[in-house]
């Protein structure tokens, strides 16, 4: 029996269970109730007392060795399965959190607000789901105006009077319904048109509307206000140009162009070699519009303008594709820092 114990000590020392299954085989073989070591303890009981003493000690040592080995291996195995099953290596350096930045359209909107606030303009807001009156009729659009037709406007099936606003001019009406002149406000917001998406058009975009109604407001005020805005926004050497135009809600109406600050007016890709880029529509508020909101056009006059925020942003940062604004590509978005 002593020889058997000796060779078992060697066996146990050499054993290297590499998995939970192999460890279980090891336990069953040496330590379980029917395993070799407990059965040797049974045999020990049969030995005469003097033999018991000399065999008992090495047998106990074998038992301790086998149990110690079992404990050691089961700890090792459970540690390594924990690490691999969670898939996390806690020794690796942490991935730093990235700080977000403001969207370029937000940066431009903030800048526009900042410029007009200093001229005493407040900021107003209105609904994106609008009715025909506020989006069209109150703004003096005749019944048969093409802008009302399905190809431009998103109407809502269940309610023929509900639509997605096609411009921010609806807020002019909502504001004048609630407030009496004098009023001076800008109204930034999202607008919708049923257009195919391309580098130059999208089914939604952003505008900022401006409105100034008071006694004795004239075309010179419109021109000076937008001239001041353009210099603040694009640089002090910027020039503006007004071209006659038509909008149902203004009379007279004008498109506002700014001199191309990329090429200084010499001609480049951005201005399509004309030296000028269009940034807004504008005009003197049509008397019918004032009448629709119970403001007497004999007493009050006003000017209004509507500017595309995407257009201004593209000029400001040299962006050449409108789709970039709504794709949420972080490689694009993270490039914009405030340029105040
Ligand atoms: N609402 C016009 C558009 O979306 C832009 C515009 C033109 C607004 C002239 C105005 C304005 O307030 O006076 O095309």
């Amino acid at each position: 029996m002593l020889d058997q114990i000796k060779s078992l000590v060697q066996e146990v020392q050499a054993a290297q269970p590499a998995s939970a299954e192999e460890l279980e085989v090891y336990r069953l073989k040496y330590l379980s109730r029917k395993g070799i070591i407990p059965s040797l303890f049974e045999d020990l009981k049969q030995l005469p007392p003097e033999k018991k003493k000399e065999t008992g000690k090495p047998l106990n040592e074998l038992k301790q060795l086998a149990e110690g080995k079992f404990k050691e291996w089961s700890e090792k195995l459970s540690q390594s399965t924990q690490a691999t099953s969670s898939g996390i290596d806690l020794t690796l350096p942490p991935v730093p959190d990235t700080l977000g930045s403001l969207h370029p359209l937000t940066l431009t909107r903030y800048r526009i607000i900042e410029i007009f606030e200093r001229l005493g303009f407040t900021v107003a807001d209105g609904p994106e789901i609008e009715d025909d009156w506020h989006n069209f009729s109150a703004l003096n659009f005749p019944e048969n105006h093409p802008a009302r037709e399905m190809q431009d406007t998103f109407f809502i099936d269940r309610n023929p009077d509900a639509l997605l606003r096609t411009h921010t001019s609806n807020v002019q009406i909502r504001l004048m319904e609630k407030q009496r002149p004098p009023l001076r406000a800008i109204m930034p917001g999202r607008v919708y048109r049923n257009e195919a998406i391309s580098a130059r058009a999208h089914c939604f975009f952003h505008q900022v509307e401006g409105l100034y109604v008071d006694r004795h407001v004239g075309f010179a005020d419109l021109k000076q206000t937008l001239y001041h805005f353009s210099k603040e926004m694009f640089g002090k050497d910027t020039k503006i140009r007004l071209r006659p135009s038509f909008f149902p809600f203004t009379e007279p109406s004008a498109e506002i162009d700014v001199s191309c600050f990329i090429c200084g007016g010499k001609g480049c890709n951005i201005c399509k070699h004309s030296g000028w880029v269009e940034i807004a529509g504008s005009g003197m508020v049509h008397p019918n519009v004032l009448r629709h909101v119970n403001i007497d056009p004999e007493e009050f006059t006003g000017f209004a303008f509507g500017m595309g925020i995407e257009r201004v942003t593209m000029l400001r940062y040299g962006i050449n594709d409108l789709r970039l604004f709504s794709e949420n590509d972080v490689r694009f978005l993270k490039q914009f820092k405030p340029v105040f």
Side-chain angles (χ1 to χ4, degrees):
M1 197 160 154
L2 277 172
D3 285 348
Q4 198 189 350
I5 293 174
K6 246 192 210 156
S7 75
L8 281 170
V9 166
Q10 280 173 1
E11 244 183 76
V12 166
Q13 268 170 347
Q16 293 224 343
S19 65
E21 291 77 33
E22 283 178 32
L23 188 65
E24 181 61 4
V25 171
Y26 168 92
R27 190 187 68 83
L28 287 171
K29 183 170 177 193
Y30 298 107
L31 297 169
S32 69
R33 230 162 17 98
K34 290 186 179 154
I36 298 173
I37 295 173
S39 72
L40 283 175
F41 274 97
E42 288 302 313
D43 297 348
L44 186 72
K45 286 182 196 158
Q46 317 300 325
L47 292 179
E50 68 281 3
K51 281 262 177 188
K52 249 190 206 165
K53 225 177 165 191
E54 83 179 53
T55 319
K57 200 169 170 251
L59 184 56
N60 261 322
E61 281 167 5
L62 170 66
K63 186 180 170 216
Q64 274 164 17
L65 175 75
E67 283 176 351
K69 226 152 172 177
F70 177 76
K71 217 173 136 208
E72 186 190 322
W73 282 101
S74 50
E75 272 168 17
K76 263 193 198 154
L77 283 171
S78 80
Q79 269 172 15
S80 68
T81 50
Q82 260 172 25
T84 50
S85 67
S86 66
I88 296 172
D89 184 346
L90 297 173
T91 64
L92 287 175
V95 180
D97 280 346
T98 42
L99 274 185
S101 55
L102 292 175
H103 193 282
L105 294 176
T106 306
L107 291 172
T108 300
R109 190 179 77 233
Y110 284 179
R111 180 72 184 128
I112 294 171
I113 291 173
E114 194 180 57
I115 296 169
F116 280 103
E117 268 180 345
R118 278 159 60 189
L119 297 177
F121 283 70
T122 55
V123 179
D125 200 8
E128 291 178 21
I129 301 175
E130 193 48 287
D131 53 37
D132 179 274
W133 173 255
H134 292 93
N135 197 80
F136 293 129
S137 299
L139 288 160
N140 200 35
F141 277 79
E143 237 8 273
N144 56 357
H145 195 281
R148 289 178 179 220
E149 282 173 20
M150 295 301 273
Q151 70 269 24
D152 291 322
T153 308
F154 287 114
F155 289 98
I156 289 164
D157 267 352
R158 280 197 302 183
N159 180 352
D161 192 38
L163 50 90
L164 295 179
R165 67 174 175 193
T166 55
H167 52 187
T168 43
S169 306
N170 66 324
V171 195
Q172 287 190 32
I173 302 300
R174 293 202 168 262
L175 192 68
M176 289 189 287
E177 283 172 344
K178 301 195 297 242
Q179 274 180 42
R180 298 288 87 192
L183 47 93
R184 247 181 296 184
I186 55 165
M187 303 147 238
R190 182 175 280 196
V191 304
Y192 302 84
R193 290 191 198 172
N194 190 1
E195 299 206 27
I197 297 168
S198 71
R200 321 196 94 242
H202 210 300
C203 56
F204 66 81
F205 52 99
H206 299 79
Q207 292 186 331
V208 57
E209 194 80 10
L211 179 69
Y212 182 12
V213 182
D214 200 350
R215 293 184 177 87
H216 315 298
V217 176
F219 204 89
D221 299 307
L222 164 65
K223 188 174 172 186
Q224 183 58 31
T225 304
L226 286 162
Y227 182 41
H228 172 80
F229 166 79
S230 302
K231 286 193 294 185
E232 288 288 308
M233 191 71 181
F234 301 114
K236 65 176 176 19
D237 297 328
T238 309
K239 295 183 176 51
I240 63 166
R241 175 175 88 166
L242 277 70
R243 277 179 295 117
S245 184
F246 171 80
F247 300 100
F249 38 92
T250 44
E251 183 59 36
S253 306
E255 307 277 357
I256 314 275
D257 296 343
V258 296
S259 56
C260 181
F261 54 93
I262 308 273
C263 62
K266 287 194 201 76
C268 69
N269 281 340
I270 301 272
C271 62
K272 293 195 244 125
H273 302 283
S274 70
W276 296 96
V277 279
E278 184 192 316
I279 58 156
S282 69
M284 299 306 294
V285 179
H286 197 290
N288 284 349
V289 174
L290 296 174
R291 280 189 201 104
H292 286 148
V293 289
N294 293 320
I295 294 177
D296 181 2
E298 298 300 323
E299 187 180 355
F300 293 104
T301 50
F303 71 75
F305 59 87
M307 198 164 0
I309 298 185
E310 274 82 354
R311 168 58 68 89
V312 174
T313 309
M314 288 167 98
L315 289 171
R316 198 174 178 215
Y317 294 112
I319 298 165
N320 59 9
D321 193 321
L322 201 60
R323 289 167 292 198
L324 289 165
F325 290 127
S326 50
E327 280 170 350
N328 284 339
D329 188 330
V330 175
R331 290 168 302 178
F332 171 72
L333 295 174
K334 73 179 180 193
Q335 296 177 44
F336 300 95
K337 295 279 174 291
V339 286
F340 298 142

